[in-house]
Amino acid sequence: MILDTLGVGLLGTKTEVFQKTTHYSKIYSSDASSSVWAHPDLRLPPLYAAFVNGVAIHSMDFDDTWHPTTHPSGAVLPTLLAISEALPEKQKVSGLDLLLAFNIGIEVQGRLMHFSKEASNVPKRFHPPSILGTMGSAAAAAKLLGLNELKCKEALAIAASYAGAPLANAATQTKPLHMGNASKHGLEAAILASLGLQANKLILDLESGFGAFYTDYSPQTLPGLQSYSWLLHQQDVAIKSFPAHLGTHWMAEAALAVRKHLVQVGESLPSGRVKKIVLNVPDVKYVNRPFPTSEHEARHSFQFAACTALLDGFISTESFKQQNISRPELSELLRKTHLEHSPDNKPSFNSLYCEITVTLQDGAVLSERCDTFYGHWRKPLKKEDLVKKFQSNASVALSKEATESIMEIVDNLEKLEDCSILTSLLQGGESVRNQLKGRSSSF
Protein backbone atom coordinates (compact mmCIF):
# COMPACT_ATOMS: atom_id res chain seq x y z
CA MET A 1 0.00 0.00 0.00
CA ILE A 2 2.75 2.45 0.95
CA LEU A 3 4.86 1.77 -2.15
CA ASP A 4 1.86 2.06 -4.47
CA THR A 5 0.67 5.27 -2.79
CA LEU A 6 4.11 6.87 -3.12
CA GLY A 7 4.26 5.88 -6.78
CA VAL A 8 0.88 7.31 -7.78
CA GLY A 9 1.66 10.42 -5.75
CA LEU A 10 4.94 10.98 -7.58
CA LEU A 11 3.18 10.54 -10.91
CA GLY A 12 0.49 12.94 -9.74
CA THR A 13 3.03 15.71 -9.22
CA LYS A 14 2.97 16.15 -13.00
CA THR A 15 -0.78 16.86 -13.17
CA GLU A 16 -2.43 20.23 -13.69
CA VAL A 17 -4.47 20.05 -10.49
CA PHE A 18 -1.31 19.43 -8.44
CA GLN A 19 0.39 22.43 -10.04
CA LYS A 20 -2.60 24.66 -9.26
CA THR A 21 -2.86 23.62 -5.61
CA THR A 22 0.91 23.93 -5.12
CA HIS A 23 0.85 27.44 -6.57
CA TYR A 24 -1.95 28.32 -4.14
CA SER A 25 -0.16 26.79 -1.14
CA LYS A 26 2.97 28.89 -1.68
CA ILE A 27 1.21 31.88 -0.10
CA TYR A 28 1.55 30.19 3.32
CA SER A 29 4.69 30.07 5.41
CA SER A 30 5.77 28.97 8.88
CA ASP A 31 8.92 28.20 10.86
CA ALA A 32 8.28 24.47 10.45
CA SER A 33 8.28 23.03 6.94
CA SER A 34 7.91 19.75 5.09
CA SER A 35 8.87 18.69 1.58
CA VAL A 36 6.74 18.56 -1.53
CA TRP A 37 7.31 15.36 -3.47
CA ALA A 38 9.43 15.67 -6.61
CA HIS A 39 10.06 19.38 -5.90
CA PRO A 40 13.57 19.74 -4.41
CA ASP A 41 13.39 23.54 -4.25
CA LEU A 42 10.03 23.81 -2.51
CA ARG A 43 9.06 23.33 1.12
CA LEU A 44 5.70 24.24 2.66
CA PRO A 45 4.20 24.39 6.16
CA PRO A 46 3.39 20.80 7.21
CA LEU A 47 -0.37 21.29 6.76
CA TYR A 48 0.09 22.41 3.17
CA ALA A 49 2.73 19.83 2.32
CA ALA A 50 0.23 17.20 3.47
CA PHE A 51 -2.43 18.93 1.37
CA VAL A 52 -0.56 19.08 -1.95
CA ASN A 53 0.97 15.61 -1.61
CA GLY A 54 -2.51 14.26 -0.84
CA VAL A 55 -3.85 16.00 -3.94
CA ALA A 56 -1.07 14.40 -6.00
CA ILE A 57 -2.00 10.91 -4.80
CA HIS A 58 -5.63 11.22 -5.92
CA SER A 59 -5.09 13.52 -8.91
CA MET A 60 -5.42 10.65 -11.42
CA ASP A 61 -7.65 8.30 -9.39
CA PHE A 62 -4.78 5.80 -9.41
CA ASP A 63 -4.61 5.13 -5.64
CA ASP A 64 -5.76 2.07 -3.73
CA THR A 65 -9.40 1.26 -2.93
CA TRP A 66 -10.84 -0.67 0.00
CA HIS A 67 -14.11 -2.32 0.97
CA PRO A 68 -16.27 -0.89 2.46
CA THR A 69 -15.73 1.86 -0.04
CA THR A 70 -12.91 4.39 0.32
CA HIS A 71 -9.35 5.17 -0.79
CA PRO A 72 -7.59 4.49 2.52
CA SER A 73 -3.91 5.35 2.06
CA GLY A 74 -3.91 8.73 0.34
CA ALA A 75 -5.08 10.80 3.29
CA VAL A 76 -2.84 9.10 5.86
CA LEU A 77 0.63 8.78 4.34
CA PRO A 78 1.18 12.47 3.41
CA THR A 79 0.16 13.47 6.95
CA LEU A 80 2.69 11.16 8.56
CA LEU A 81 5.56 12.11 6.28
CA ALA A 82 4.83 15.81 6.79
CA ILE A 83 4.90 15.34 10.58
CA SER A 84 8.14 13.34 10.42
CA GLU A 85 9.92 16.33 8.88
CA ALA A 86 8.38 18.98 11.13
CA LEU A 87 9.24 17.46 14.51
CA PRO A 88 12.34 18.70 16.40
CA GLU A 89 15.58 17.02 15.30
CA LYS A 90 15.88 14.97 18.48
CA GLN A 91 12.44 13.42 17.81
CA LYS A 92 13.36 11.16 14.93
CA VAL A 93 10.49 9.18 13.41
CA SER A 94 11.51 5.61 12.60
CA GLY A 95 10.05 3.41 9.92
CA LEU A 96 8.39 1.35 12.64
CA ASP A 97 6.79 4.51 14.09
CA LEU A 98 5.49 5.34 10.61
CA LEU A 99 4.13 1.84 10.01
CA LEU A 100 2.24 1.72 13.30
CA ALA A 101 0.69 5.15 12.84
CA PHE A 102 -0.17 4.32 9.21
CA ASN A 103 -1.93 1.11 10.24
CA ILE A 104 -3.90 2.97 12.91
CA GLY A 105 -5.02 5.53 10.33
CA ILE A 106 -6.21 2.73 8.03
CA GLU A 107 -7.81 0.76 10.88
CA VAL A 108 -9.89 3.71 12.12
CA GLN A 109 -11.31 4.21 8.63
CA GLY A 110 -12.17 0.52 8.32
CA ARG A 111 -13.82 0.29 11.74
CA LEU A 112 -15.99 3.34 11.09
CA MET A 113 -17.10 1.92 7.73
CA HIS A 114 -17.99 -1.42 9.29
CA PHE A 115 -20.53 0.34 11.51
CA SER A 116 -22.65 1.04 8.41
CA LYS A 117 -24.05 -1.22 5.70
CA GLU A 118 -24.51 1.84 3.50
CA ALA A 119 -20.74 2.31 3.50
CA SER A 120 -20.34 -1.02 1.68
CA ASN A 121 -21.95 0.37 -1.47
CA VAL A 122 -20.47 2.69 -4.08
CA PRO A 123 -21.31 6.14 -2.64
CA LYS A 124 -24.16 8.37 -3.74
CA ARG A 125 -23.86 11.53 -1.62
CA PHE A 126 -20.42 12.03 -0.07
CA HIS A 127 -16.98 11.16 -1.39
CA PRO A 128 -15.75 8.68 1.27
CA PRO A 129 -12.12 9.91 1.61
CA SER A 130 -13.42 13.34 2.56
CA ILE A 131 -15.09 11.71 5.58
CA LEU A 132 -13.09 8.63 6.46
CA GLY A 133 -9.75 9.93 5.26
CA THR A 134 -10.08 12.95 7.53
CA MET A 135 -10.73 10.68 10.52
CA GLY A 136 -7.92 8.29 9.57
CA SER A 137 -5.48 11.16 9.08
CA ALA A 138 -6.38 12.56 12.52
CA ALA A 139 -5.96 9.18 14.20
CA ALA A 140 -2.61 8.53 12.53
CA ALA A 141 -1.36 12.02 13.35
CA ALA A 142 -2.49 11.69 16.97
CA LYS A 143 -0.51 8.46 17.26
CA LEU A 144 2.66 9.84 15.71
CA LEU A 145 2.44 13.01 17.82
CA GLY A 146 2.08 10.89 20.95
CA LEU A 147 -1.26 12.31 22.11
CA ASN A 148 -2.84 10.74 25.17
CA GLU A 149 -6.21 8.97 25.11
CA LEU A 150 -8.20 12.10 25.95
CA LYS A 151 -6.53 14.20 23.28
CA CYS A 152 -6.92 11.40 20.72
CA LYS A 153 -10.67 11.56 21.32
CA GLU A 154 -10.56 15.33 20.91
CA ALA A 155 -8.62 14.97 17.64
CA LEU A 156 -11.24 12.63 16.17
CA ALA A 157 -14.07 14.88 17.36
CA ILE A 158 -12.44 17.95 15.81
CA ALA A 159 -11.75 16.02 12.58
CA ALA A 160 -15.44 15.11 12.26
CA SER A 161 -16.24 18.81 11.93
CA TYR A 162 -13.87 19.03 8.95
CA ALA A 163 -15.28 15.92 7.25
CA GLY A 164 -17.44 15.59 4.16
CA ALA A 165 -17.44 16.69 0.51
CA PRO A 166 -20.25 16.17 -2.05
CA LEU A 167 -19.85 13.50 -4.69
CA ALA A 168 -21.08 15.91 -7.36
CA ASN A 169 -17.49 17.08 -7.77
CA ALA A 170 -16.37 13.63 -8.92
CA ALA A 171 -14.88 13.68 -12.42
CA THR A 172 -13.59 17.23 -11.94
CA GLN A 173 -10.29 18.76 -10.86
CA THR A 174 -11.83 19.40 -7.45
CA LYS A 175 -12.20 15.72 -6.49
CA PRO A 176 -8.46 15.31 -5.70
CA LEU A 177 -8.80 18.22 -3.27
CA HIS A 178 -10.96 15.94 -1.13
CA MET A 179 -7.92 13.75 -0.48
CA GLY A 180 -5.61 16.70 0.10
CA ASN A 181 -8.08 18.31 2.49
CA ALA A 182 -8.55 15.02 4.37
CA SER A 183 -4.81 14.80 4.93
CA LYS A 184 -4.47 18.46 5.90
CA HIS A 185 -7.57 18.62 8.10
CA GLY A 186 -6.74 15.42 9.96
CA LEU A 187 -3.32 16.81 10.80
CA GLU A 188 -4.84 20.14 11.76
CA ALA A 189 -7.34 18.40 14.06
CA ALA A 190 -4.56 16.52 15.84
CA ILE A 191 -2.49 19.70 16.28
CA LEU A 192 -5.49 21.60 17.68
CA ALA A 193 -6.23 18.74 20.08
CA SER A 194 -2.59 18.77 21.23
CA LEU A 195 -3.04 22.48 22.05
CA GLY A 196 -6.07 21.71 24.22
CA LEU A 197 -8.95 22.54 21.85
CA GLN A 198 -12.07 20.75 23.07
CA ALA A 199 -14.83 19.03 21.14
CA ASN A 200 -17.62 16.51 21.76
CA LYS A 201 -15.78 13.36 22.80
CA LEU A 202 -18.93 11.28 22.15
CA ILE A 203 -19.11 12.31 18.50
CA LEU A 204 -18.47 8.77 17.21
CA ASP A 205 -21.47 7.48 19.19
CA LEU A 206 -24.06 10.02 18.07
CA GLU A 207 -26.52 10.16 15.20
CA SER A 208 -25.85 13.90 15.09
CA GLY A 209 -22.11 13.19 15.15
CA PHE A 210 -20.46 10.76 12.76
CA GLY A 211 -23.92 9.32 12.09
CA ALA A 212 -24.68 12.42 10.02
CA PHE A 213 -22.70 10.88 7.15
CA TYR A 214 -24.30 7.40 7.08
CA THR A 215 -28.02 6.98 7.65
CA ASP A 216 -27.68 3.48 9.13
CA TYR A 217 -24.57 4.19 11.23
CA SER A 218 -24.59 1.98 14.32
CA PRO A 219 -21.36 1.98 16.36
CA GLN A 220 -20.41 -1.14 18.28
CA THR A 221 -18.03 -1.85 21.13
CA LEU A 222 -14.70 -3.07 19.75
CA PRO A 223 -13.05 -6.26 21.06
CA GLY A 224 -10.33 -5.98 23.69
CA LEU A 225 -6.67 -5.93 22.72
CA GLN A 226 -6.17 -9.60 23.60
CA SER A 227 -8.68 -10.69 20.94
CA TYR A 228 -8.31 -7.74 18.57
CA SER A 229 -7.74 -8.45 14.87
CA TRP A 230 -6.56 -5.78 12.41
CA LEU A 231 -8.93 -5.31 9.48
CA LEU A 232 -6.12 -5.32 6.91
CA HIS A 233 -5.46 -8.94 7.95
CA GLN A 234 -9.06 -9.75 7.00
CA GLN A 235 -9.56 -7.52 3.96
CA ASP A 236 -6.84 -6.43 1.53
CA VAL A 237 -7.05 -3.42 -0.79
CA ALA A 238 -7.46 -3.23 -4.55
CA ILE A 239 -4.46 -1.89 -6.51
CA LYS A 240 -5.28 -0.33 -9.87
CA SER A 241 -3.45 -1.08 -13.10
CA PHE A 242 -4.65 2.10 -14.83
CA PRO A 243 -5.75 5.50 -13.45
CA ALA A 244 -9.54 5.48 -13.30
CA HIS A 245 -12.51 4.73 -11.06
CA LEU A 246 -12.35 1.20 -9.69
CA GLY A 247 -15.61 0.14 -11.35
CA THR A 248 -14.11 0.69 -14.79
CA HIS A 249 -11.52 -2.02 -14.12
CA TRP A 250 -14.18 -4.74 -14.30
CA MET A 251 -15.43 -3.18 -17.53
CA ALA A 252 -11.99 -2.98 -19.11
CA GLU A 253 -11.19 -6.60 -18.37
CA ALA A 254 -14.48 -7.80 -19.87
CA ALA A 255 -13.92 -5.67 -22.97
CA LEU A 256 -10.39 -6.99 -23.43
CA ALA A 257 -11.73 -10.54 -23.26
CA VAL A 258 -14.22 -9.76 -26.06
CA ARG A 259 -11.52 -8.12 -28.15
CA LYS A 260 -9.57 -11.39 -28.29
CA HIS A 261 -12.41 -12.84 -30.37
CA LEU A 262 -12.28 -9.93 -32.82
CA VAL A 263 -8.62 -9.25 -33.58
CA GLN A 264 -5.17 -10.66 -32.97
CA VAL A 265 -2.87 -9.15 -30.36
CA GLY A 266 -1.30 -5.95 -31.70
CA GLU A 267 -3.94 -5.45 -34.41
CA SER A 268 -6.27 -2.45 -34.55
CA LEU A 269 -10.01 -2.94 -34.17
CA PRO A 270 -11.96 -1.73 -37.23
CA SER A 271 -14.70 0.21 -35.43
CA GLY A 272 -16.91 -0.07 -38.50
CA ARG A 273 -17.34 -3.82 -37.84
CA VAL A 274 -19.22 -3.04 -34.63
CA LYS A 275 -22.96 -2.43 -34.84
CA LYS A 276 -23.92 -2.19 -31.17
CA ILE A 277 -22.30 -2.43 -27.71
CA VAL A 278 -24.33 -3.16 -24.58
CA LEU A 279 -22.73 -2.85 -21.14
CA ASN A 280 -24.34 -4.54 -18.14
CA VAL A 281 -23.05 -2.54 -15.17
CA PRO A 282 -24.27 -1.56 -11.70
CA ASP A 283 -26.31 1.62 -11.53
CA VAL A 284 -23.60 4.08 -10.49
CA LYS A 285 -24.66 7.42 -11.90
CA TYR A 286 -21.36 9.27 -11.59
CA VAL A 287 -19.58 6.56 -13.64
CA ASN A 288 -22.22 6.74 -16.39
CA ARG A 289 -20.68 9.25 -18.79
CA PRO A 290 -21.55 8.41 -22.42
CA PHE A 291 -19.36 11.10 -24.02
CA PRO A 292 -16.58 12.26 -21.69
CA THR A 293 -14.83 15.44 -22.75
CA SER A 294 -12.03 15.68 -20.17
CA GLU A 295 -9.52 13.32 -18.58
CA HIS A 296 -11.43 13.45 -15.29
CA GLU A 297 -14.73 12.57 -16.94
CA ALA A 298 -13.04 9.77 -18.89
CA ARG A 299 -11.71 8.30 -15.63
CA HIS A 300 -15.33 8.07 -14.45
CA SER A 301 -16.92 6.46 -17.49
CA PHE A 302 -17.87 2.81 -17.98
CA GLN A 303 -18.38 3.63 -21.65
CA PHE A 304 -14.92 5.12 -22.13
CA ALA A 305 -13.23 2.16 -20.44
CA ALA A 306 -15.07 -0.37 -22.59
CA CYS A 307 -14.55 1.41 -25.91
CA THR A 308 -10.89 2.28 -25.26
CA ALA A 309 -10.11 -1.32 -24.30
CA LEU A 310 -11.88 -2.59 -27.43
CA LEU A 311 -10.17 -0.08 -29.69
CA ASP A 312 -6.62 -0.24 -28.36
CA GLY A 313 -6.31 -3.55 -26.53
CA PHE A 314 -5.13 -1.80 -23.35
CA ILE A 315 -5.77 1.18 -21.06
CA SER A 316 -2.88 3.24 -19.69
CA THR A 317 -2.12 6.71 -18.41
CA GLU A 318 -1.80 7.80 -22.03
CA SER A 319 -5.40 6.75 -22.75
CA PHE A 320 -6.63 9.80 -20.83
CA LYS A 321 -4.71 12.35 -22.86
CA GLN A 322 -7.01 14.77 -24.68
CA GLN A 323 -5.90 13.63 -28.13
CA ASN A 324 -6.96 10.06 -27.29
CA ILE A 325 -10.27 11.05 -25.67
CA SER A 326 -11.31 13.03 -28.76
CA ARG A 327 -10.40 10.44 -31.42
CA PRO A 328 -13.12 10.05 -34.12
CA GLU A 329 -12.93 6.24 -34.00
CA LEU A 330 -13.48 6.27 -30.21
CA SER A 331 -16.42 8.65 -30.60
CA GLU A 332 -17.90 6.27 -33.17
CA LEU A 333 -17.80 3.37 -30.70
CA LEU A 334 -19.19 5.52 -27.87
CA ARG A 335 -22.20 6.43 -30.03
CA LYS A 336 -22.96 2.71 -30.42
CA THR A 337 -22.73 2.01 -26.69
CA HIS A 338 -25.66 1.64 -24.27
CA LEU A 339 -25.93 0.69 -20.60
CA GLU A 340 -28.16 -1.86 -18.90
CA HIS A 341 -28.58 -2.51 -15.16
CA SER A 342 -29.51 -6.01 -14.01
CA PRO A 343 -31.29 -6.19 -10.64
CA ASP A 344 -28.66 -8.60 -9.30
CA ASN A 345 -25.75 -6.28 -10.18
CA LYS A 346 -25.46 -4.34 -6.93
CA PRO A 347 -23.19 -1.27 -6.63
CA SER A 348 -20.69 -2.85 -4.24
CA PHE A 349 -16.99 -3.32 -4.96
CA ASN A 350 -17.23 -6.69 -3.24
CA SER A 351 -19.94 -8.14 -5.49
CA LEU A 352 -20.48 -6.12 -8.68
CA TYR A 353 -19.72 -7.47 -12.15
CA CYS A 354 -19.43 -5.96 -15.62
CA GLU A 355 -20.58 -7.65 -18.81
CA ILE A 356 -20.17 -6.51 -22.39
CA THR A 357 -22.11 -7.72 -25.42
CA VAL A 358 -20.88 -6.67 -28.87
CA THR A 359 -23.09 -7.14 -31.91
CA LEU A 360 -21.23 -7.02 -35.24
CA GLN A 361 -22.51 -5.77 -38.57
CA ASP A 362 -22.72 -9.37 -39.85
CA GLY A 363 -25.05 -10.31 -36.97
CA ALA A 364 -22.48 -12.15 -34.83
CA VAL A 365 -22.81 -11.57 -31.08
CA LEU A 366 -19.88 -11.74 -28.66
CA SER A 367 -20.20 -11.49 -24.90
CA GLU A 368 -17.82 -11.60 -21.91
CA ARG A 369 -18.23 -10.96 -18.20
CA CYS A 370 -15.77 -10.01 -15.46
CA ASP A 371 -16.57 -10.88 -11.86
CA THR A 372 -13.13 -10.15 -10.39
CA PHE A 373 -10.46 -8.12 -12.19
CA TYR A 374 -6.72 -8.55 -11.71
CA GLY A 375 -5.73 -6.21 -8.88
CA HIS A 376 -8.92 -6.73 -6.85
CA TRP A 377 -8.40 -8.04 -3.30
CA ARG A 378 -9.70 -11.43 -4.43
CA LYS A 379 -7.11 -11.48 -7.22
CA PRO A 380 -4.27 -9.26 -5.97
CA LEU A 381 -1.43 -7.95 -8.11
CA LYS A 382 1.70 -10.05 -8.01
CA LYS A 383 4.60 -8.31 -6.32
CA GLU A 384 6.51 -8.00 -9.57
CA ASP A 385 3.56 -6.18 -11.18
CA LEU A 386 3.21 -3.85 -8.19
CA VAL A 387 6.94 -3.06 -8.46
CA LYS A 388 6.60 -2.39 -12.20
CA LYS A 389 3.72 0.00 -11.53
CA PHE A 390 5.76 1.89 -8.95
CA GLN A 391 8.83 2.07 -11.20
CA SER A 392 6.75 3.33 -14.11
CA ASN A 393 5.02 5.99 -11.99
CA ALA A 394 8.00 7.15 -9.93
CA SER A 395 10.39 7.35 -12.88
CA VAL A 396 8.27 10.16 -14.33
CA ALA A 397 9.27 12.36 -11.39
CA LEU A 398 12.50 10.90 -9.94
CA SER A 399 15.81 9.44 -11.07
CA LYS A 400 16.30 5.69 -11.40
CA GLU A 401 18.61 5.72 -8.35
CA ALA A 402 16.01 7.45 -6.18
CA THR A 403 13.26 5.14 -7.41
CA GLU A 404 15.25 2.00 -6.60
CA SER A 405 16.28 3.38 -3.20
CA ILE A 406 12.69 4.15 -2.23
CA MET A 407 11.69 0.61 -3.16
CA GLU A 408 14.42 -0.83 -0.94
CA ILE A 409 13.52 1.46 1.97
CA VAL A 410 9.80 0.67 1.82
CA ASP A 411 10.60 -3.04 1.60
CA ASN A 412 12.58 -2.72 4.84
CA LEU A 413 10.59 0.07 6.45
CA GLU A 414 10.39 -1.53 9.88
CA LYS A 415 14.21 -1.37 10.05
CA LEU A 416 14.53 2.27 9.02
CA GLU A 417 15.95 4.40 11.84
CA ASP A 418 15.03 7.82 10.45
CA CYS A 419 12.24 8.61 7.96
CA SER A 420 14.03 11.77 6.85
CA ILE A 421 15.92 9.52 4.44
CA LEU A 422 12.67 8.56 2.73
CA THR A 423 11.31 12.13 2.60
CA SER A 424 14.58 13.39 1.10
CA LEU A 425 14.44 10.76 -1.64
CA LEU A 426 10.81 11.67 -2.38
CA GLN A 427 11.77 15.31 -2.73
CA GLY A 428 14.34 14.57 -5.43
CA GLY A 429 17.21 16.74 -6.66
CA GLU A 430 20.34 17.35 -4.58
CA SER A 431 18.74 15.79 -1.49
CA VAL A 432 18.73 12.44 -3.31
CA ARG A 433 22.46 12.56 -3.97
CA ASN A 434 23.14 13.45 -0.36
CA GLN A 435 21.04 10.59 0.96
CA LEU A 436 22.46 8.02 -1.45
CA LYS A 437 25.95 8.63 -0.06
CA GLY A 438 25.05 7.51 3.45
CA ARG A 439 22.12 5.19 2.81
CA SER A 440 23.92 1.99 3.86
CA SER A 441 23.82 3.12 7.51
CA SER A 442 20.09 3.80 7.49
CA PHE A 443 18.94 0.37 8.64
Side-chain angles (χ1 to χ4, degrees):
M1 291 170 70
I2 290 176
L3 187 69
D4 184 64
T5 303
L6 293 176
V8 299
L10 289 165
L11 179 64
T13 63
K14 300 302 180 182
T15 60
E16 184 180 356
V17 62
F18 173 83
Q19 301 299 332
K20 289 178 178 178
T21 53
T22 301
H23 182 71
Y24 153 75
S25 297
K26 288 179 182 178
I27 67 175
Y28 298 96
S29 63
S30 71
D31 292 336
S33 68
S34 303
S35 58
V36 176
W37 300 350
H39 284 66
D41 300 322
L42 177 62
R43 296 183 69 84
L44 292 172
L47 291 175
Y48 287 91
F51 171 64
V52 297
N53 290 332
V55 168
I57 287 168
H58 199 56
S59 61
M60 299 173 71
D61 219 314
F62 212 177
D63 44 328
D64 57 21
T65 306
W66 211 14
H67 175 79
T69 306
T70 196
H71 304 282
S73 300
V76 175
L77 194 55
T79 297
L80 298 176
L81 291 174
I83 293 172
S84 74
E85 294 183 271
L87 290 174
E89 250 186 75
K90 60 182 180 180
Q91 290 182 250
K92 288 183 179 179
V93 173
S94 70
L96 198 57
D97 295 330
L98 182 76
L99 277 172
L100 181 55
F102 178 80
N103 273 278
I104 286 172
I106 304 300
E107 182 75 8
V108 165
Q109 295 179 70
R111 289 295 174 183
L112 290 172
M113 288 189 292
H114 275 76
F115 294 152
S116 165
K117 292 182 180 178
E118 180 187 342
S120 293
N121 295 327
V122 178
K124 293 181 179 179
R125 298 182 300 138
F126 294 102
H127 187 209
S130 70
I131 303 169
L132 299 153
T134 306
M135 304 301 286
S137 170
K143 174 61 181 175
L144 200 58
L145 291 171
L147 303 193
N148 62 30
E149 182 179 344
L150 178 62
K151 290 189 174 182
C152 283
K153 289 181 179 179
E154 302 283 17
L156 290 174
I158 296 166
S161 281
Y162 283 114
L167 197 60
N169 269 325
T172 73
Q173 284 190 335
T174 295
K175 187 189 178 199
L177 271 63
H178 300 171
M179 190 68 77
N181 279 330
S183 189
K184 170 182 175 287
H185 289 153
L187 175 53
E188 192 166 21
I191 293 172
L192 290 170
S194 75
L195 296 173
L197 187 73
Q198 297 176 351
N200 190 333
K201 289 177 281 295
L202 297 176
I203 205 159
L204 297 183
D205 300 322
L206 300 174
E207 183 181 357
S208 59
F210 196 78
F213 301 113
Y214 295 100
T215 55
D216 63 346
Y217 178 71
S218 179
Q220 307 293 321
T221 301
L222 295 177
L225 289 178
Q226 292 180 338
S227 59
Y228 195 87
S229 176
W230 293 81
L231 289 176
L232 270 179
H233 291 166
Q234 307 168 31
Q235 172 73 66
D236 205 349
V237 297
I239 303 292
K240 298 177 180 179
S241 57
F242 61 87
H245 185 274
L246 194 72
T248 65
H249 289 249
W250 277 271
M251 192 72 263
E253 201 156 299
L256 291 173
V258 162
R259 192 180 193 275
K260 291 178 181 177
H261 303 302
L262 294 170
V263 293
Q264 298 297 316
V265 176
E267 291 182 353
S268 298
L269 175 74
S271 54
R273 287 186 60 195
V274 177
K275 181 178 181 182
K276 182 173 68 171
I277 302 170
V278 177
L279 310 180
N280 184 348
V281 298
D283 187 8
V284 182
K285 290 181 172 54
Y286 75 101
V287 196
N288 176 4
R289 299 181 187 272
F291 303 104
T293 58
S294 71
E295 62 167 300
H296 297 283
E297 289 183 357
R299 298 184 201 283
H300 294 77
S301 171
F302 284 123
Q303 296 93 328
F304 179 86
C307 293
T308 298
L310 281 175
L311 196 61
D312 299 332
F314 63 89
I315 302 181
S316 70
T317 56
E318 295 298 311
S319 302
F320 301 92
K321 300 289 187 182
Q322 194 59 46
Q323 63 268 27
N324 289 321
I325 295 171
S326 56
R327 288 178 292 170
E329 57 270 36
L330 179 63
S331 298
E332 182 184 354
L333 285 182
L334 288 169
R335 285 192 296 270
K336 299 174 181 179
T337 302
H338 308 277
L339 298 192
E340 290 183 351
H341 309 297
S342 296
D344 69 327
N345 200 354
K346 304 299 183 185
S348 166
F349 290 145
N350 209 37
S351 61
L352 74 80
Y353 63 87
C354 287
E355 188 173 24
I356 179 171
T357 302
V358 177
T359 303
L360 303 180
Q361 297 291 359
D362 61 8
V365 178
L366 303 168
S367 184
E368 290 285 354
R369 167 173 162 160
C370 176
D371 292 294
T372 304
F373 67 88
Y374 179 52
H376 190 273
W377 44 84
R378 290 192 297 268
K379 194 186 291 186
L381 285 188
K382 297 176 182 175
K383 184 175 181 180
E384 55 263 36
D385 290 328
L386 178 60
V387 166
K388 285 178 183 176
K389 178 185 174 182
F390 174 78
Q391 290 173 323
S392 175
N393 288 339
S395 64
V396 173
L398 297 179
S399 67
K400 181 179 179 181
E401 292 78 13
T403 298
E404 296 297 323
S405 295
I406 290 170
M407 286 171 49
E408 183 182 348
I409 285 173
V410 173
D411 213 29
N412 296 277
L413 197 53
E414 70 280 3
K415 301 176 185 176
L416 186 66
E417 295 178 0
D418 185 355
C419 282
S420 66
I421 298 163
L422 176 58
T423 55
S424 294
L425 290 169
L426 289 167
Q427 193 172 17
E430 186 64 33
S431 59
V432 171
R433 287 185 284 275
N434 293 337
Q435 287 299 337
L436 289 177
K437 291 177 183 177
R439 190 166 56 84
S440 59
S441 60
S442 304
F443 300 108

